Amino acid sequence: MVEWSEQERTIITSIFASLDYEDIGPKALSRCLIVYPWTQRYFGAFGNLYNAEAIKTNPNIAAHGIKVLHGLDRAVKNMDNIKATYAELSVLHSEKLHVDPDNFKLLSDCLTIVIAAKMGSSFTPEIQATWQKFLAVVVSALGRQYH
Amino acid sequence: MSLTAKDKDTVKGFWAKMSGKAEDIGTDALSRMLVVYPQTKTYFSHWKDLSPGSAPVKKHGKTVMNGVADAVSKIDDLTGGLLTLSELHAFTLRVDPANFKILAHNMLVVMAIMFPVDFTPEVHVAMDKFLGALARALSEKYR
């Protein structure tokens, strides 16, 4: 089981408490599709993804980015049992969505960069370590039910 | 995933904006790497102080960024241009190449923090590709 210190819990809940989902979600997902273009393979039905500008202004991508970010809420509320919390979502990503689990890390890196840009120097090395630990646990849980 | 002409222009353009803060970027990236990926500390057991912003970290951050500056100037032939540095990393330092990716990630985080508006997704992808190509050039002589 993953151990969280009081400080780590505070850092994570505090970041999410002040998170603007409508801003960060779309930015993270569109950045992922631009920086790692092969991830676009999962979004064939989303419309125009021909170039960076199209991706950044695509309303389907924006809506999906917000949805994905809210998906992290479950982990924040259940930090002591993220693996079980995401079992169902893991099955979904494997059996229905057929997402290569390596992609989870790519999106999580883009999310880190977007949060860093937003928080500026208050995204200290310590906070970065906690944030990345949190995302690593989420990523691991989402890949857990693949077989 | 080689660098296109557009990638090179983007890298040179962003580097021109960054280069004034190169030392700070190097210090911050290294500091973050040592905190967020503690396994990287194993390469610096000879340093007295591994805390963020310490003297050895600052000095080494500057060394690393000088290498990056050099790579930008040799962007048209990274493998050839970084031969000596590759030999250094391969035979003397023997840094596991997986760590290049780790340091690159932290450099990108620092770029996002220091240049929140300029570090657009387009600049991000060009810099990520460039740092990847740099890492490959550094790994050239490993085996």
Side-chain angles (χ1 to χ4, degrees):
Chain A
M1 208 187 76
V2 183
E3 301 276 335
W4 301 97
S5 69
E6 272 318 303
Q7 196 195 24
E8 286 172 329
R9 290 174 201 273
T10 306
I11 286 170
I12 295 302
T13 47
S14 141
I15 291 178
F16 275 87
S18 55
L19 198 57
D20 182 354
Y21 289 78
E22 267 88 60
D23 177 46
I24 300 295
K27 279 187 176 148
L29 184 57
S30 58
R31 189 170 282 254
C32 185
L33 296 173
I34 293 166
V35 178
Y36 307 108
W38 53 94
T39 57
Q40 292 169 28
R41 74 190 304 284
Y42 302 107
F43 299 96
F46 278 56
N48 187 357
L49 300 178
Y50 297 142
N51 51 47
E53 217 28 61
I55 293 171
K56 282 190 251 188
T57 53
N58 185 311
N60 295 323
I61 294 296
H64 199 70
I66 298 170
K67 185 174 174 182
V68 166
L69 200 53
H70 275 296
L72 291 177
D73 292 341
R74 273 185 253 191
V76 180
K77 295 194 175 86
N78 295 285
M79 278 176 74
D80 287 314
N81 211 350
I82 293 178
K83 190 163 74 175
T85 303
Y86 280 139
E88 215 185 295
L89 264 179
S90 179
V91 170
L92 175 83
H93 282 75
S94 167
E95 320 254 298
K96 184 150 175 275
L97 305 175
H98 307 291
V99 177
D100 181 341
D102 283 351
N103 290 280
F104 301 146
K105 179 153 195 309
L106 301 181
L107 179 57
S108 113
D109 282 348
C110 285
L111 183 54
T112 299
I113 295 225
V114 170
I115 296 274
K118 182 78 182 289
M119 289 177 66
S121 50
S122 54
F123 192 63
T124 63
E126 292 70 28
I127 290 182
Q128 182 185 342
T130 302
W131 174 255
Q132 289 196 204
K133 176 181 169 180
F134 173 74
L135 286 182
V137 174
V138 167
V139 162
S140 168
L142 274 178
R144 195 70 181 72
Q145 307 303 325
Y146 279 64
H147 64 93
Chain B
M1 294 198 266
S2 51
L3 298 170
T4 63
K6 182 161 169 248
D7 289 329
K8 293 179 190 178
D9 280 341
T10 305
V11 169
K12 286 187 222 175
F14 188 63
W15 178 256
K17 289 187 182 142
M18 273 177 54
S19 58
K21 291 192 173 163
E23 280 181 45
D24 289 336
I25 293 171
T27 301
D28 200 4
L30 257 183
S31 300
R32 283 169 191 278
M33 184 186 81
L34 296 167
V35 169
V36 181
Y37 303 87
Q39 70 269 23
T40 58
K41 293 195 286 189
T42 54
Y43 291 97
F44 304 103
S45 51
H46 56 288
W47 284 359
K48 266 208 180 94
D49 185 358
L50 285 145
S51 58
S54 71
V57 170
K58 262 198 183 142
K59 182 163 178 261
H60 198 62
K62 187 176 177 186
T63 305
V64 167
M65 291 312 280
N66 284 341
V68 174
D70 192 33
V72 175
S73 73
K74 293 168 176 166
I75 202 168
D76 289 318
D77 180 19
L78 286 169
T79 312
L82 300 179
L83 216 50
T84 318
L85 267 179
S86 181
E87 284 170 356
L88 175 75
H89 285 76
F91 305 130
T92 311
L93 303 176
R94 287 178 289 195
V95 175
D96 189 312
N99 294 288
F100 299 147
K101 217 168 187 233
I102 291 176
L103 181 56
H105 167 73
N106 286 291
M107 285 181 178
L108 296 173
V109 169
V110 173
M111 287 174 203
I113 289 173
M114 290 192 178
F115 302 93
V117 174
D118 292 316
F119 194 63
T120 60
E122 294 91 319
V123 169
H124 179 168
V125 61
M127 289 307 296
D128 192 31
K129 283 177 77 176
F130 168 66
L131 291 173
L134 215 184
R136 277 195 301 281
L138 277 180
S139 315
E140 191 58 29
K141 304 299 269 176
Y142 269 63
R143 57 175 176 176

